[in-house]
Amino acid sequence: MRILYLLLLTVFVQLSFAQSIYKDKKAPVENRIKDLVSKMTLEEKILQLNQYNAGRNTNVNNIGAEIKEIPSGIGSLIFFSADPELRNQIQKKAVEESRLGIPILFGFDVIHGFRTVYPISLAQACSWNTDLVTQASSIAAKEACLSGIDWTFSPMIDVARDPRWGRVSEGYGEDPYTNALFGVATVKGYQGKDLSDPYSIAACLKHYVGYGMSEGGRDYHYSDVSPQSLWETYLVPYQACVKAGAATLMSAFNDISGVPASANHYTLTEILKNRWGHDGFVVSDWNSVEQLIAQGVAKDRKEAGLKAFMAGVEMDMMDKVYLENLQQLIAEKKIPMSRIDDAVARILRVKFRLGLFDQPYTTVVAEKDRYLQPESRAVASKLAEESMVLLKNKEGVLPLSSDVKKLAVIGPMAKDKSNLLGSWSYNGRENEVESIYEGLEKEFTNKVQLNYAKGCTFDGSDESGFDEAVSVASQSDVILVCLGEEKKWSGENASRSTIALPSIQEKLVASLRKTGKPIVLVLSNGRPLELVRLEPMSNAILEIWQPGVAGGSPMAGILSGRVNPSGKLSITFPLTTGQIPTYYDMRQSSRPTSGRYQDIPTEPLYWFGHGLSYTTFAYDAAKLSATKISKTQKLTVEVTVTNTGNVKGKETVLWYVSDPACSISRPMKELKFFEKKEINAGEKTVFKFEVDPMRDLSFTDSDGKRILEEGDYYIHVNNQKLKVELVK
Ligand code: GLC
């Protein structure tokens, strides 16, 4: 009897202990995952592999109805609301009503800020200030957390070289290294030191991989990504961000030379999981599993589900293909249960690491304490300021001289607010945006009279506003023309056949030109623009991109000289659309001095890295620590830069390498390091690049192997080119 009693007691203790492992905060995450997966039914496992959306609930009476439709065991929701109490109500259903109480992962597109909208990512890269981007992303994460979001579908790190593609606005430009560094900076901002920190959110690298190669800049179209360019260009930012600890990735809509990204075992499993050791999960892009049918690799939803899942997509966004087909595929032994368990474990791992099992609910604070705090706006303003690029400044028309007493402020962007937010600014509010005109008022009140006329709309053919604009301009000393793109002209599914602005905007400038007054062109846009006709008509051109909520004052500060512009382009501005693709790290032509366009110049208008300052910087001769090194030796290159002007300024030094005689043809030059520093007038600073040959001089072959060959290399800085010989 005694033995029986002891036996029962042991079983009971074991059982109760077994009950608690996955709920035990102190237990190692891997033990908690293993315990929980062992308890889950197949149906519960499959639910975890799905993501629905919870719409924006404007009517609190519908909360019950809407939430009823959401299965309590669903793995994740795209949370379009920003109401933490709604999130908590939905979460309560999952945690308290479902059998195992697995919390839901609430995701959303927090792309360049949440309610405090920052400049678009393409602009952020022009700041060359990764620390500031980390700060901005950290604030975005906090605002998102306080709104019930645990996971953002960001950063987008798709290298893009065709500005007809609307999504060029969402990434960090044409260069792999720039996308890598800013992607890492953003991941750090979102995820903080630990995913379980109260204001950390999980990052999601997208769109994995090669999406920027969409043929002809047409979104969702076929993309021919060679194995060489896959490794040399498109995977570079992903490898860096996975190494930095990014929790998740999103599989892309595009093809990778015939094998869609959302069904590509090589990229999703061989590279991402087996070689890089990523232990988080991959979510498909919206319906990209079902879209495998359209891409011609699946005859029906079931086959699409099989291909995506077996390739390595763990979570299915929105199309319910997994929900409706995985059970059958397992029954037919086409999907082994071990793969289901691994996929579930990956999703649970992110949830455990986020702390969702231990703290599933959002702390609800008053809305006024959630958003747009003074320090958030200050970061937004700083990032906008450092992202703006002075493209042209003929005869120093900027900063405006103290003789300027009347400034004409003309154009459809002058008082516009909404379009300054840019694409993917879902929670941004027009009335919280500082317009260009408002920034000018703050900067120039009691100093310069502002004379405003809209002149025209962004598009169309109505020139009826021209006369008033010309009249206002005629009575002013300088004409500020504020033009650009509507925010819906870039972003997803926003490809354009030309990157020129609508002709009505160019005609307005041509009319203003007749006044003979100096023209300062201010541009707010989400892509490089064709400026071949506008550039000659403008004395100065200031690219402010889509600066978010706080662009007005920084722009005005640059006009007044209070701010010395320091942005440099993260993407080349072709002279015309016909020059696309033109980017700095192209290969050398086999006939470098011919093969030019017959009808237009072949040089772009502004190269990657272009950006003017109000001061001047003189570069001394750069110095090498050695001119001959072995493959394992480090090399230091230094250059002293002097601010030879009258005002302090920030200078970004871009360091490139080139390998003109290699076993494969390599780009004419490749960015490998950059540094931005402020230098006072008359002072000098040393910039240093520590070259690691394997990291900085090697190239990758078409299967990702890094190869470092002996031979001559060049380090490029400013207009200097220094030769280094690499020996055994
Ligand atoms: C969209 C976009 C992706 C976004 C997702 C969720 O189709 O391609 O960037 O994160 O759906 O909104």
Side-chain angles (χ1 to χ4, degrees):
M1 187 57 184
R2 191 174 157 69
I3 295 171
L4 181 61
Y5 171 72
L6 281 175
L7 201 61
L8 283 173
L9 184 65
T10 312
V11 167
F12 173 73
V13 166
Q14 271 178 348
L15 264 181
S16 59
F17 181 71
Q19 293 286 331
S20 67
I21 290 182
Y22 81 96
K23 290 186 176 173
D24 176 1
K25 291 181 187 172
K26 297 189 190 64
V29 164
E30 293 310 310
N31 295 8
R32 299 178 78 178
I33 294 168
K34 193 157 168 277
D35 175 54
L36 180 49
V37 172
S38 70
K39 291 177 166 60
M40 293 169 76
T41 64
L42 177 57
E43 191 200 0
E44 287 165 338
K45 290 176 182 175
I46 290 174
L47 270 173
Q48 285 299 308
L49 308 180
N50 286 271
Q51 179 183 63
Y52 291 176
N53 75 322
R56 181 181 281 281
N57 241 308
T58 47
N59 175 348
V60 285
N61 305 311
N62 291 341
I63 284 180
E66 173 155 317
I67 294 175
K68 277 200 190 74
E69 290 156 23
I70 296 172
S72 59
I74 192 75
S76 173
L77 287 175
I78 302 182
F79 192 57
F80 283 92
S81 168
D83 176 357
E85 289 175 304
L86 173 61
R87 171 253 164 78
N88 288 343
Q89 289 205 35
I90 298 172
Q91 190 70 299
K92 192 167 183 297
K93 229 170 94 77
V95 170
E96 297 176 16
E97 290 174 27
S98 74
R99 188 175 73 89
L100 293 167
I102 301 173
I104 293 170
L105 183 64
F106 289 82
F108 192 65
D109 291 288
V110 186
I111 308 298
H112 50 106
F114 189 79
R115 178 78 168 271
T116 305
V117 178
Y118 294 109
I120 56 171
S121 304
L122 186 62
Q124 293 184 27
C126 295
S127 74
W128 299 95
N129 189 335
T130 50
D131 291 343
L132 198 48
V133 166
T134 297
Q135 254 187 289
S137 306
S138 164
I139 291 168
K142 181 172 181 181
E143 290 192 352
C145 267
L146 291 173
S147 308
I149 307 292
D150 313 301
W151 175 33
T152 176
F153 308 127
S154 168
M156 180 191 164
I157 48 178
D158 298 318
V159 174
R161 291 152 170 182
D162 188 334
R164 292 172 295 181
W165 189 47
R167 307 203 74 167
V168 68
S169 59
E170 300 175 48
Y172 300 102
E174 68 190 38
D175 172 62
Y177 181 74
T178 314
N179 273 277
L181 274 268
F182 280 93
V184 167
T186 305
V187 167
K188 282 180 182 165
Y190 290 148
Q191 299 192 168
K193 288 190 174 39
D194 189 299
L195 264 188
S196 63
D197 290 347
Y199 297 124
S200 292
I201 57 176
C204 181
L205 309 176
K206 72 183 188 182
H207 305 76
Y208 188 63
V209 62
Y211 190 23
M213 277 285 268
S214 296
E215 208 164 49
R218 292 182 291 272
D219 209 355
Y220 314 126
H221 269 63
Y222 184 76
S223 35
D224 195 358
V225 188
S226 72
Q228 182 63 32
S229 54
L230 179 67
W231 279 103
E232 175 183 281
T233 302
Y234 300 101
L235 284 172
V236 171
Y238 287 91
Q239 187 164 13
C241 291
V242 164
K243 195 172 169 199
T248 70
L249 292 87
M250 181 183 291
S251 68
F253 290 132
N254 58 285
D255 261 77
I256 302 176
S257 302
V259 183
S262 292
N264 197 303
H265 186 272
Y266 178 61
T267 53
L268 290 163
T269 294
E270 168 57 27
I271 295 173
L272 178 61
K273 298 175 174 70
N274 299 347
R275 295 196 202 182
W276 294 351
H278 190 250
D279 66 0
F281 68 90
V282 174
V283 63
S284 73
D285 201 340
W286 195 298
N287 285 358
S288 72
V289 174
E290 182 179 64
Q291 286 167 198
L292 295 174
I293 299 169
Q295 286 172 285
V297 296
K299 65 179 184 300
D300 54 25
R301 284 165 56 87
K302 184 175 163 188
E303 187 177 25
L306 175 62
K307 289 205 166 182
F309 186 81
M310 292 307 283
V313 175
E314 282 78 32
M315 185 181 279
D316 178 15
M317 182 188 286
M318 289 308 291
D319 57 28
K320 298 190 175 66
V321 169
Y322 282 11
L323 195 72
E324 293 163 5
N325 294 281
L326 286 192
Q327 193 129 7
Q328 183 60 28
L329 287 163
I330 293 159
E332 294 168 6
K333 304 221 179 308
K334 289 180 180 164
I335 293 181
M337 184 54 77
S338 60
R339 286 295 305 275
I340 296 287
D341 289 351
D342 174 66
V344 172
R346 288 172 176 273
I347 291 164
L348 295 178
R349 186 169 293 123
V350 173
K351 293 185 177 183
F352 277 115
R353 285 178 178 167
L354 276 167
L356 282 183
F357 280 84
D358 310 322
Q359 176 33 50
Y361 302 111
T362 299
T363 307
V364 181
V365 302
E367 179 157 348
K368 67 174 178 57
D369 299 327
R370 279 182 230 153
Y371 308 120
L372 292 158
Q373 301 305 296
E375 69 277 10
S376 310
R377 266 197 173 276
V379 169
S381 183
K382 192 87 195 114
L383 189 48
E385 179 183 300
E386 295 211 22
S387 303
M388 294 179 181
V389 185
L390 183 59
L391 296 174
K392 179 179 182 180
N393 189 19
K394 196 171 148 199
E395 290 147 18
V397 69
L398 291 181
L400 294 175
S401 95
S402 52
D403 304 340
V404 173
K405 297 302 177 202
K406 292 178 183 170
L407 179 65
V409 184
I410 313 278
M413 201 60 84
K415 291 195 173 181
D416 187 283
K417 286 171 172 267
S418 171
N419 291 306
L420 297 184
L421 287 168
S423 61
W424 297 102
S425 52
Y426 194 86
N427 289 291
R429 295 187 184 176
E430 186 170 344
N431 65 339
E432 291 165 352
V433 173
E434 181 192 48
S435 71
I436 289 173
Y437 194 80
E438 287 166 340
L440 293 168
E441 284 181 310
K442 288 174 198 163
E443 193 78 23
F444 290 107
T445 298
N446 304 328
K447 294 174 200 154
V448 175
Q449 178 185 309
L450 303 179
N451 302 324
Y452 168 75
K454 186 173 181 180
C456 69
T457 52
F458 289 107
D459 206 342
S461 55
D462 178 4
E463 300 183 15
S464 60
F466 281 22
D467 289 350
E468 184 205 10
V470 169
S471 160
V472 161
S474 307
Q475 300 157 44
S476 306
D477 304 319
V478 170
I479 307 168
L480 190 70
V481 193
C482 310
L483 305 178
E485 293 186 307
E486 294 186 33
K487 63 183 176 184
K488 66 184 183 218
W489 296 359
S490 58
E492 181 173 1
N493 195 15
S495 304
R496 295 175 73 82
S497 67
T498 173
I499 58 172
L501 288 176
S503 60
I504 188 73
Q505 297 191 41
E506 293 190 2
K507 285 176 184 167
L508 174 65
V509 177
S511 300
L512 294 168
R513 183 87 184 136
K514 291 172 191 153
T515 65
K517 308 274 184 175
I519 287 179
V520 174
L521 179 59
V522 174
L523 297 170
S524 174
N525 39 288
R527 57 162 53 81
L529 295 176
E530 174 180 297
L531 301 176
V532 62
R533 292 167 298 280
L534 283 171
E535 191 275 337
M537 295 193 281
S538 310
N539 299 67
I541 303 174
L542 178 60
E543 176 59 72
I544 69 168
W545 300 110
Q546 285 151 340
V549 292
S553 290
M555 190 278 315
I558 289 173
L559 292 187
S560 71
R562 170 175 58 83
V563 173
N564 184 358
S566 63
K568 290 181 185 272
L569 291 180
S570 60
I571 191 164
T572 297
F573 274 50
L575 182 68
T576 71
T577 304
Q579 280 191 350
I580 293 170
T582 291
Y583 48 96
Y584 90 89
D585 50 343
M586 294 185 287
R587 255 69 174 179
Q588 173 100 290
S589 152
S590 57
R591 292 188 176 185
T593 56
S594 54
R596 334 285 282 169
Y597 291 116
Q598 301 298 309
D599 56 338
I600 60 167
T602 303
E603 283 287 295
L605 184 57
Y606 303 119
W607 278 112
F608 171 92
H610 172 75
L612 303 177
S613 170
Y614 290 151
T615 187
T616 46
F617 296 105
Y619 284 62
D620 291 0
K623 295 193 201 78
L624 291 165
S625 59
T627 54
K628 184 185 286 190
I629 55 169
S630 72
K631 290 182 176 183
T632 53
Q633 245 180 302
K634 296 281 193 301
L635 171 78
T636 302
V637 203
E638 288 186 6
V639 67
T640 300
V641 178
T642 306
N643 178 340
T644 49
N646 307 319
V647 291
K648 70 179 174 183
K650 296 185 183 79
E651 174 65 341
T652 299
V653 171
L654 301 169
W655 295 93
Y656 303 85
V657 302
S658 64
D659 177 4
C662 176
S663 53
I664 65 164
S665 67
R666 292 183 64 176
M668 287 190 276
K669 62 181 184 180
E670 299 168 60
L671 184 69
K672 293 295 179 184
F673 183 62
F674 61 81
E675 240 185 325
K676 181 175 192 178
K677 292 181 183 177
E678 183 162 70
I679 310 175
N680 291 324
E683 295 185 3
K684 56 181 68 186
T685 297
V686 176
F687 290 80
K688 195 183 291 186
F689 173 23
E690 304 273 352
V691 178
D692 171 338
M694 180 46 89
R695 180 192 64 200
D696 300 320
L697 302 181
S698 68
F699 67 93
T700 172
D701 70 5
S702 57
D703 186 28
K705 183 166 171 275
R706 295 221 66 89
I707 298 168
L708 180 61
E709 296 177 338
E710 295 153 51
D712 292 345
Y713 293 84
Y714 291 89
I715 310 289
H716 303 248
V717 60
N718 200 277
N719 300 318
Q720 302 179 51
K721 198 175 149 179
L722 298 92
K723 182 174 158 182
V724 180
E725 187 186 351
L726 198 68
V727 295
K728 230 186 186 43

